[in-house]
Every structure is written in C-alpha cells, then in structure tokens.
Amino acid sequence: MLRLDKLLSEQGLASRRELKDIIRSGRVSVDGQRVTNPEMKIDPERSAVTLDGERISAQRFHTFMLDKPLGVVTATEDRREKTVLDLLPPELRRMGVFPVGRLDKDTSGLLLLTNDGDLAHRVISPKSAVEKCYSAKVDGVLTEEDVEAFRSGLVLKDGTRCLPAELTILEPDSCLVRLTEGKYHQVRRMLASREKPVLTLRRVSIGALELDAALGPGGWKELDGAALCRVFS
Ligand code: URA
C-alpha cells in the first residue's frame, strides 16, 4: 500500500507539496471516486487512479539511459559544476532518479539513472559482476603484453590488485576494456599502470545493454523491462 501523494510524485507530475494541493482540490479520483485526502493509502497494482480524468500509470520505478557528455559531473547536485541531473527535464528529476555508479567528469557515454534503489544496488554490487565495456584512446601503442596483463589481473601503481579484465586492441592506440568491477578511476589507472595514459574514455555498454548511438551527448531515453534484463545478461 502506498500514499496517494507518493504514488503521484513518483510519476514526476508535480512536487509533493503541489500534489497535496491538487488532491485536496478534488482533481484526483481512485476507482472512479473523487478523493481529497493526500494520505489515503492505495494499492497501485489494483486501483485505477486518474488526474483530471487521465489515467495515471501504476509503474513505480523508472530507469533511464543517458549519453553522458564530457564536462558534467555524476552527482545529484553540485554547488559549482553542472550535474547529470541538470540534463534531465524537471518531471524526471521530481521522480527522484539518481545515477547508478559514476563516470568521471571527463568520461562520456552510457550512464543509468533510476529511482529504483534495488536495481541500482544489483547493477553496482560486485556480487552481480555486471560487465561494463569502455572504449579508450591512449597515448602509446597497445601490445599483446598489455592484453595478457589485463587477462591475468593487473596490479595498479598503488599496489591495488584488479580482477582479470579483457583488453581488445582495435587500433595501435585504441581499445575496448571490459571489466566487472568499478574501482575509482579504474580504467584510467589500469592503462596508466601499463604506461599508456588514457586520452579519451567512453562507456559503451553495461551487461548486454548498449548505448543507443542515436541519443547523442546529453540525450536520454526511458528503458523498459526488456532493456533492463539486458543489463543482467
Ligand atoms: N574508469 C575510469 O577511469 N573512469 C570512469 O569514468 C569509468 C571507469
């Protein structure tokens, strides 16, 4: 059971305070009956809720794919910097979405945003071992020794040991890196440990979910259940 104002705010329709007033003014009906109590408890799976006669979705959780541009920080708010949430329209921000994991300010590409805490946990948790794939351009020439070092588990310059990861050389100075963990600045530090500093870094997939190339920097779209399943396959 869920409070009526909470159900409506999860759809990003208006702020919680505005929604209380909207409900009190009699614009909302539950199962055809006009209601005025914002605290009324309802079962979103069973009750039909309408606002001004329009049916409100019972979908509680929403997850979005964002093509994170360079120069934007992965945070919900920041006093100085532009954040990934600043790229979304107000109705999405009102849903309470937050970034799933983080990309550095100077990393672009696939970032998930959700208001589903369990989903975020499952994507990030080391137990899930969800594979993330990054495309990198480096200063230097990549070699088969680098591939082997990634495969056998790199030791970073500060002594941190990484799990085995896959390095695929695309061009002498560009590669794909697939890894299942998410240490701070991990890809940059892995390539730096091979004396191949990263020049550009872009995340291209999470699990089997690929970044939609049609979005472009700053573009976003909502993901359905089938797309979310790809994250875990
Ligand atoms: N590894 C990095 O070094 N940076 C990122 O943003 C993501 C992975």
Side-chain angles (χ1 to χ4, degrees), residues 14-225:
S15 73
R16 194 89 179 254
R17 182 183 299 169
E18 286 165 343
L19 284 166
K20 281 194 169 71
D21 290 341
I22 288 172
I23 297 167
R24 288 195 187 103
S25 72
R27 290 167 57 192
V28 173
S29 297
V30 175
D31 296 327
Q33 299 290 316
R34 181 171 294 197
V35 294
T36 52
N37 179 7
E39 291 170 24
M40 176 182 180
K41 293 269 180 26
I42 59 157
D43 179 349
E45 306 290 324
R46 289 166 191 266
S47 294
V49 179
T50 57
L51 169 61
D52 297 333
E54 295 274 330
R55 181 77 187 258
I56 302 300
S57 164
Q59 188 187 335
R60 293 204 54 197
F61 298 122
H62 299 268
T63 302
F64 301 87
M65 165 189 287
L66 171 73
D67 184 345
K68 178 196 168 296
L70 297 171
V72 173
V73 296
T74 307
T76 48
E77 53 185 36
D78 192 287
R79 281 168 57 194
R80 276 183 294 268
E81 310 269 13
K82 185 167 178 171
T83 73
V84 288
L85 281 193
D86 293 330
L87 300 169
L88 304 178
E91 59 271 26
L92 264 62
R93 294 205 297 270
R94 280 196 298 257
M95 286 175 185
V97 298
F98 57 90
V100 179
R102 73 184 287 281
L103 291 176
D104 300 334
K105 185 177 171 187
D106 50 357
T107 301
S108 65
L110 174 53
L111 183 70
L112 298 179
L113 294 140
T114 189
N115 59 357
D116 183 345
D118 288 344
L119 175 89
H121 178 73
R122 282 196 293 137
V123 176
I124 299 167
S125 167
K127 275 198 209 133
S128 310
V130 171
E131 186 180 86
K132 289 114 192 160
C133 180
Y134 298 85
S135 146
K137 191 168 164 53
V138 299
D139 184 5
V141 174
L142 296 156
T143 64
E144 281 309 310
E145 287 77 50
D146 296 328
V147 175
E148 188 44 44
F150 271 65
R151 189 181 295 138
S152 50
L154 273 176
V155 179
L156 303 178
K157 286 186 172 174
D158 67 357
T160 307
R161 179 169 280 283
C162 300
L163 291 173
E166 195 180 318
L167 176 72
T168 309
I169 301 175
L170 302 175
E171 304 275 342
D173 65 347
S174 74
C175 60
L176 293 177
V177 176
R178 292 189 178 82
L179 69 173
T180 55
E181 43 181 2
K183 298 186 199 303
Y184 182 65
H185 285 172
Q186 183 157 353
V187 176
R188 287 172 208 279
R189 287 160 73 209
M190 288 172 106
L191 284 160
S193 79
R194 302 294 305 166
E195 307 301 337
K196 315 280 158 69
V198 165
L199 298 176
T200 63
L201 189 60
R202 182 165 171 78
R203 183 154 64 192
V204 293
S205 61
I206 299 178
L209 178 71
E210 291 179 6
L211 178 63
D212 183 342
L215 292 177
W220 58 271
K221 68 175 186 183
E222 182 157 9
L223 298 176
D224 60 16

